[in-house]
């Protein structure tokens, strides 16, 4: 049985890997030092950059932590739809004196990351947007590494039966939906999804989506999870890499709710509802990572200008319970069960 399966890592709290900057070595190390399981996000980074972050985390803690990797998408995209969306939002880029990016595909350096991780793996390697081949899972297992796969349905849980642990992500979670396909799929509450996955899988489950308090942790443990995953709860911590604009938006009273959108990346993701989301959610194609790369320069320009109405503001449904306090405090509060 893997360490995570028996939960010998300490407190039943996992810090969600948040690609795009929020997850840092400092955050992962702080959570692990506090008794939880910290996570680095390898998404949008090269294998070399990921390795640098692993080494930095090891300098900060001797405790176990994880690294999460994006699986390459196998979805086909409609280039005409992408081109049409580029024409729709090009005015936004001009207003920010930016140029839209090239809507390319790619595997996010997946092969190089996996090869590097196998040479010197962390305690846990997670996969999002799909499940790796059984041979790769076995290769990590032979290195003593626990393999976690994110699932958003019972069908995905069946496909990920070779994993050691499933991260069950409910619709309440902030950021990208970790589904195996970019197509529209039924979104389920975490409680309902845990019940459905439990019916088809005997694997240990960690539960993600709307977790912001010890009561939330108790609730998912009672529903059969071995641990709870929190992401948004850590966004305001000093150790996180959350941008200045994003931090301010999380406590700005003009942002009153979250919703799921494709407007920023082409893949469903939950964030604070702002002007850009409102205007373009109904026009964005299902095309990830193409739309992500298309809008990236626009979003960087918006962040530089402090424009929260044009920036992606990833956040889960519990965003208004996030606090500006050290990650160790958040971890301890979540685990106070």
């Amino acid at each position: 049985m893997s360490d995570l399966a028996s939960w010998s890592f300490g407190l039943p709290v996992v810090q969600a890997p948040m690609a795009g900057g929020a997850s840092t070595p400092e955050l992962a190390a702080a959570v692990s030092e506090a008794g939880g399981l910290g996570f680095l996000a390898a998404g949008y980074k090269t294998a070399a950059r990921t390795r640098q972050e692993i080494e930095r985390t090891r300098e900060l803690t001797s405790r176990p932590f994880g690294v999460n990797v994006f699986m390459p998408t196998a979805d086909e995209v409609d280039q005409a739809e992408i081109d049409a969306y580029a024409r729709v939002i090009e005015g936004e880029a001009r207003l920010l004196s930016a140029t839209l990016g090239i809507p390319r595909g790619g595997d996010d350096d997946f092969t190089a990351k996996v090869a590097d991780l196998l040479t010197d793996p962390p305690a846990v390697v997670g996969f999002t947007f799909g499940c790796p081949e059984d041979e790769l899972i076995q290769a990590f297992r032979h290195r003593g590494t626990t393999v976690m796969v994110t699932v958003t349905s019972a069908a995905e849980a069946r496909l990920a039966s070779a994993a050691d642990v499933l991260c069950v992500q409910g619709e309440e979670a902030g950021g990208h939906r970790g589904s195996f396909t970019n197509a529209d799929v039924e979104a389920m509450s975490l409680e309902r999804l845990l019940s459905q996955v439990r019916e088809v899988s005997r694997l240990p489950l960690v539960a993600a989506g709307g977790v912001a308090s010890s009561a939330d942790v108790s609730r998912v443990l009672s529903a059969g999870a071995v641990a709870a995953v929190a992401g948004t709860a850590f966004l305001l911590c000093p150790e996180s890499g959350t941008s200045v604009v994003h931090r301010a938006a999380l406590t700005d009273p003009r942002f009153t709710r979250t919703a799921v959108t494709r407007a920023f990346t082409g893949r469903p993701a939950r964030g604070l509802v702002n002007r850009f989301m409102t205007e373009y959610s109904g026009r964005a194609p299902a095309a990830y990572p193409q739309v992500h790369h298309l809008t990236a320069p626009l979003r960087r320009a918006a962040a530089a200008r402090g424009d929260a109405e044009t920036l992606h503001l990833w956040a889960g449904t519990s965003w208004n319970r996030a606090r500006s306090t050290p990650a160790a405090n958040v971890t301890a509060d979540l685990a106070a069960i």
Side-chain angles (χ1 to χ4, degrees), residues 239-307:
E239 300 93 340
S240 82
T242 311
S243 72
V244 173
V245 182
H246 196 173
R247 285 178 187 272
L250 288 166
T251 57
D252 190 328
R254 66 180 153 145
F255 299 112
T256 60
R257 62 189 180 94
T258 66
V260 175
T261 184
R262 293 183 185 274
F264 298 104
T265 68
R267 174 178 269 274
R270 182 176 294 279
L272 297 175
V273 176
N274 61 4
R275 180 192 60 81
F276 193 93
M277 185 190 292
T278 300
E279 291 189 15
Y280 299 109
S281 287
R283 308 172 80 173
Y288 177 89
Q290 286 81 0
V291 173
H292 162 77
H293 293 302
L294 178 72
T295 67
L298 185 158
R299 290 180 281 134
R300 283 194 295 269
R305 291 197 180 192
D307 180 3

Side-chain angles (χ1 to χ4, degrees), residues 221-236:
L221 296 184
S222 297
V226 297
V229 182
T232 304
F234 290 101
L235 285 178
L236 293 178

Side-chain angles (χ1 to χ4, degrees), residues 61-116:
T61 183
S62 60
R63 293 185 60 84
F65 62 90
V67 174
N68 189 66
V69 180
F70 287 169
M71 289 291 296
T73 179
D75 292 345
E76 296 183 359
V77 300
D78 187 325
Q79 188 60 47
E81 290 184 350
I82 297 170
D83 293 342
Y85 189 57
R87 291 190 293 271
V88 166
I89 63 173
E90 62 184 354
E92 296 282 349
R94 285 196 300 270
L95 288 173
L96 292 167
S97 300
T99 301
L100 292 176
I102 304 300
R104 65 184 186 277
D107 68 354
D108 197 42
D109 210 20
F110 177 82
T111 301
K113 285 175 187 172
V114 166
D116 179 77

